[in-house]
Amino acid sequence: LLGWGLGPEALSEFDRAESADHKLDTQPFFRALRGVAGVLSHRNAEAVADLSISALAIDPYAAAWRGLARAELGQAALARKDFELAKPVIASFDPAFQAKVYIEAARAALADNEPSLAQSYLLRLVPAIDDPRLRAEADFLRGELFERMNQSDEAVLAYGRAIVTEFRPVAIRARYARALLLNRLGKLADAALADEIDRLRMAWRGDEFELRMLSKLAELRLAQGEV
């Protein structure tokens, strides 16, 4: 089940196995496998608990999965440390999973104000990533990194590459980030920025990102005397 990426189904089997033999909970191999299933099921707090037992604390493979769980929990500093511990083995993963780990490692490093480390992870990505979702994530992160490094032209191009993948969860964010950047550079007027955000908010609803867009739109409309 884990081999097919069926995390919730695997967790059910682990629960049944533990019910049959309570000693399994003390076995590192069992905790490691259940931790992987937890990450695949987005039960990240439980996954971190399984993957953090003393026998797995410095295991680089466990650290890679623990880093993914902590990244999704928003624990950027802890995730960054886990990915650094995992760094020697990431290249041994299959290409798709390898790309996912490098991308999440770069994201955690950037969130933890370590742009040079983020850049080192992005440079390790294979030039051609088959999955358009992963390509979009990678280019969006490159855009954020270039912005942080004051390389505005490169940032605009990277955001553009993320947009053309048409992977909606990333493309919308990339359009927003590119519009803000062009506005700061004086290449997009406030009125045009407001119009672009107005279009984007209709395409994305229901989370913190929408609230951020609405807040920026209200600020722009207020400055234009329209609120």
Side-chain angles (χ1 to χ4, degrees):
L1 291 170
L2 283 181
W4 284 99
L6 300 174
E9 292 83 356
L11 280 178
S12 294
E13 295 303 316
F14 286 127
D15 288 344
R16 292 175 63 186
E18 187 184 5
S19 295
D21 182 358
H22 295 298
K23 292 181 181 179
L24 282 174
D25 195 56
T26 67
Q27 300 300 313
F29 81 90
F30 180 82
R31 299 291 293 273
L33 291 172
R34 191 171 66 181
V36 170
V39 176
L40 294 175
S41 305
H42 304 286
R43 291 170 62 170
N44 295 296
E46 296 170 26
V48 168
D50 274 332
L51 295 165
S52 298
I53 62 172
S54 59
L56 301 174
I58 60 172
D59 181 274
Y61 295 98
W65 287 96
R66 195 168 59 234
L68 291 175
R70 283 177 163 156
E72 194 164 314
L73 288 169
Q75 300 171 354
L78 292 172
R80 176 185 60 77
K81 292 177 182 178
D82 281 328
F83 287 128
E84 287 188 72
L85 178 58
K87 190 182 292 186
V89 303
I90 299 175
S92 68
F93 299 147
D94 72 80
F97 186 64
Q98 180 187 132
K100 179 177 177 60
V101 174
Y102 279 139
I103 287 168
E104 292 303 324
R107 195 192 316 279
L110 202 56
D112 199 37
N113 199 31
E114 293 283 353
S116 296
L117 181 60
Q119 185 176 39
S120 74
Y121 285 122
L122 290 173
L123 288 172
R124 291 168 185 251
L125 284 170
V126 294
I129 302 173
D130 291 334
D131 191 330
R133 296 170 298 178
L134 292 175
R135 284 203 309 272
E137 294 278 8
D139 280 321
F140 181 68
L141 280 173
R142 290 187 181 102
E144 290 190 314
L145 178 62
F146 284 135
E147 269 203 80
R148 187 80 62 90
M149 299 170 70
N150 295 314
Q151 298 178 25
S152 300
D153 290 343
E154 290 84 352
V156 170
L157 291 173
Y159 287 139
R161 291 193 299 272
I163 292 166
V164 297
T165 64
E166 296 185 354
F167 176 51
R168 189 183 184 86
V170 178
I172 297 294
R173 293 173 184 271
R175 281 180 59 184
Y176 180 69
R178 185 177 66 174
L180 290 179
L181 176 57
L182 290 172
N183 178 255
R184 288 196 296 273
L185 294 172
K187 297 180 179 180
L188 186 68
D190 286 355
L193 174 60
D195 289 342
E196 172 70 345
I197 295 174
D198 201 26
R199 287 188 290 270
L200 292 175
R201 74 181 181 88
M202 300 303 293
W204 191 268
R205 297 294 183 88
D207 63 6
E208 178 273 336
F209 179 53
E210 182 193 11
L211 292 176
R212 201 182 336 148
M213 287 195 292
L214 289 173
S215 177
K216 183 63 178 179
L217 181 59
E219 174 190 320
L220 290 165
R221 296 300 193 206
L222 183 62
Q224 294 166 4
E226 296 182 16
V227 177

